[in-house]
Amino acid sequence: MKAETSRQSFLEKFKSIHVALTFRDVFLLPGRAEVEPSEVDVRTRVTKTHNLNIPFVSSPMDTVTESDMAIAVARHGGLGVVHRNCSIDEEVEMAKRVKRAEALIIRDVITVAPDDTVGQALALMEKHNISGLPVVEKTKLVGIVTGRDVRFAQPSLSVKQVMTKNVVKAEEGTSIEEAQRLLGDHKIEKLPIVNKTGELAGLITFKDILLRGKYPDAARDENGQLLCAAAVSPFDLERAKKLDEFADILVTDVSHFHNANVFKATKTLMSEVSADVIVGNIGTYEAAEDAITELEHIGGFRVGIGSGSICTTTEITKAGSPTLFATAQVSDAVAKYGADIPVIADGGIRTPGDVAIALTAGASAVMIGNLFARCRESPGTLITIGGRYYKQYRGMGSPTAREKRYSLDRYSLPSKGVPEGVEGWVPYKGEVSIVLDELVSGLRASMGYAGAGSVQELWRKARLAALSPSGAEEARPHDILLPSESQEV
Ligand code: XMP
């Protein structure tokens, strides 16, 4: 082996060492406020083309986000990213469920044909948990069957024998107010929408109109359906293409995105799908710079490596980029190149203050696993330990998650022989709306202190200061015995 002569001095390496600050190392300096916390605007963007009403995204992890979580988070104005630690069909089904949860006009209407049997109609209703089906001959609307029509009829009868033929319907372009009036006047639950030639073009349901009123701040697409994101591997084109039919956003799920093969595969993937693609995870200025210059149409950056509460990446490999540092690095690169790419700070968020700090460092939204895994809507198992409720939470690089074949290319055995995550339990918190309300109220309070009326103002105005170890001590309750620490109370 030849002697290496052109290397950088090791001492120089130490001199140019970065201080990679974490959420625990800094705090927000109070600034002059022109707005009250209740007036603070927390709306943001999660990709170039998709807006959120609150800056929260749930992680694509199999103990955090399946359809129930994605629906609940989107209804509150955020975004859920369904995980990919499952078969392609299972992930597609999750995305479909989110998109079907509500809509202004349902476009992919589930229908029956006049010659189908009552039994088949009933099975469809049960499978999709719906109470009525338009009857369509070729593409023409010819009737409608409801649960009442089929439940007490002979299963072998044909649909045309039990359907209502005189269907109350509306033409394409009917306003929601007019649809609501028709539903009310005729005391019906479903209003088929037809085009000029009588072909079925959509369906408006009473339930969707009610839900729209119930969740006015939901994150929706232009059809009124909830926004949905789905995790993909850049190497799994088949999955990405199938998900592209339903999900609004695809999120690459790679622990080290700054890799030549990953870039190449992502380039191909982006050319084959129409959804916005959020890429990551990255943690450095250089990674963002390379991505901006080498990949076109990046929808967003997912940043932070090794900060997640279940991560052992940095502990084991000594490689990583704490989420706060990563956010600042990537945001600076985005600004330097004048790129229009929202940054999502991923991992390590424990408090609303951490969210405010991530946004101050340039993030548009934060991605959270741990705090959402605690909720009823997460798929993890609920257990009791010592009389208290907990939910299962595991890293996607943990031994049991790796056992499921579909997580293998993220922390894969062929390229990586070690697990990079742990598995455990987090205290049960109830519905995710409780956690989101706490996060949003706390974030508004932080922004109020910082004197920022919006996320953009936080970027411009908010200042951070470093916290010393004694400062950290002083910043929590001290010199008092708290009830939680006392056996007596
Ligand atoms: P929190 O702190 O909210 O972080 O629990 C969730 C984020 O952690 C990442 N993640 C992992 N990182 N090993 C890692 O190094 C893992 O096994 C693992 N699983 C998830 C991921 O970015 C997630 O959003």
Side-chain angles (χ1 to χ4, degrees), residues 65 109 374 455:
T65 313
V109 188
R374 303 166 180 223
V455 173

Side-chain angles (χ1 to χ4, degrees), residues 34 44 68 120 125 132 141 225 238 250-251 305 323 346 348 356 383-384 423 434 441 482:
E34 308 287 344
T44 190
D68 285 354
Q120 285 171 315
M125 287 181 194
L141 179 74
Q225 291 175 305
E238 184 192 351
L250 299 179
V251 182
I305 296 173
T323 302
D346 174 20
I383 58 159
T384 54
E423 166 167 20
I434 298 171
S441 305
L482 295 170

Side-chain angles (χ1 to χ4, degrees), residues 59 61 281 302 306-313 346-349 367-370 393 395-398 410-411 420-421:
S59 296
M61 299 170 73
N281 284 38
R302 180 180 174 194
S307 286
S309 60
I310 33 46
C311 298
T312 51
T313 299
D346 174 20
I349 298 286
M367 182 178 275
I368 297 180
N370 186 310
Y393 181 43
M396 295 315 294
S398 66
R410 183 174 164 108
Y411 300 97
E420 290 184 22

Side-chain angles (χ1 to χ4, degrees), residues 127-432:
K127 180 172 172 213
H128 297 284
N129 195 20
I130 48 180
S131 59
L133 301 164
V135 185
V136 168
E137 189 159 27
K138 299 231 171 78
T139 49
K140 285 245 159 74
L141 179 74
V142 293
I144 190 159
V145 276
T146 66
R148 251 177 298 157
D149 298 328
V150 292
R151 201 151 297 126
F152 303 108
Q154 278 293 333
S156 56
L157 287 178
S158 65
V159 163
K160 63 174 175 256
Q161 290 174 278
V162 298
M163 72 185 188
T164 303
K165 293 190 186 83
N166 204 1
V167 191
V168 180
K169 51 187 180 286
E171 275 207 6
E172 186 86 275
T174 302
S175 69
I176 288 300
E177 293 70 33
E178 175 61 7
Q180 196 165 358
R181 193 189 61 73
L182 281 169
L183 289 164
D185 284 356
H186 295 274
K187 296 189 175 55
I188 49 172
E189 306 249 325
K190 292 176 196 288
L191 182 69
I193 305 296
V194 288
N195 64 17
K196 294 223 158 10
T197 53
E199 288 170 322
L200 183 71
L203 186 71
I204 294 179
T205 74
F206 187 63
K207 185 182 125 222
D208 283 327
I209 290 178
L210 279 186
L211 285 172
R212 206 170 167 76
K214 193 168 171 198
Y215 301 106
D217 294 328
R220 300 176 196 275
D221 63 18
E222 62 285 359
N223 293 323
Q225 291 175 305
L226 297 175
L227 271 196
C228 174
V232 291
S233 156
F235 300 103
D236 193 348
L237 202 53
E238 184 192 351
R239 182 180 293 251
K241 281 162 96 171
K242 287 197 172 144
L243 284 163
D244 190 36
E245 287 176 40
F246 304 97
D248 306 281
I249 300 167
L250 299 179
V251 182
T252 67
D253 202 26
V254 182
S255 57
H256 182 38
F257 185 81
H258 195 196
N259 167 300
N261 283 330
V262 174
F263 267 44
K264 203 169 151 209
T266 304
K267 212 174 197 169
T268 311
L269 185 147
M270 282 170 144
S271 68
E272 300 266 347
V273 299
S274 59
D276 282 357
V277 181
I278 294 176
V279 301
N281 284 38
I282 56 169
T284 62
Y285 185 98
E286 294 75 22
E289 189 168 49
D290 286 351
I292 292 167
T293 51
E294 291 174 35
L295 300 172
E296 274 178 76
H297 313 302
I298 296 172
F301 277 128
R302 180 180 174 194
V303 313
I305 296 173
S307 286
S309 60
I310 33 46
C311 298
T312 51
T313 299
T314 305
E315 191 177 49
I316 288 174
T317 65
K318 281 287 175 196
S321 180
T323 302
L324 175 59
F325 175 73
T327 303
Q329 288 261 311
V330 173
S331 302
D332 278 355
V334 167
K336 167 81 193 311
Y337 282 85
D340 178 23
I341 306 178
V343 172
I344 298 142
D346 174 20
I349 298 286
R350 296 197 296 196
T351 66
D354 292 344
V355 181
I357 287 171
L359 299 181
T360 296
S364 289
V366 298
M367 182 178 275
I368 297 180
N370 186 310
L371 300 181
F372 293 152
R374 303 166 180 223
C375 302
R376 184 177 62 72
E377 294 85 348
S378 76
T381 326
L382 182 69
I383 58 159
T384 54
I385 306 174
R388 288 174 197 272
Y389 287 105
Y390 292 84
K391 282 205 97 168
Q392 177 203 17
Y393 181 43
R394 69 179 182 194
M396 295 315 294
S398 66
T400 54
R402 276 157 53 101
E403 270 168 29
K404 281 192 88 172
R405 139 155 168 49
Y406 295 100
S407 76
L408 286 189
D409 60 357
R410 183 174 164 108
Y411 300 97
S412 67
L413 270 179
S415 66
K416 295 183 181 181
V418 287
E420 290 184 22
V422 293
E423 166 167 20
W425 297 274
V426 284
Y428 182 59
K429 278 288 281 193
E431 298 199 349
V432 72

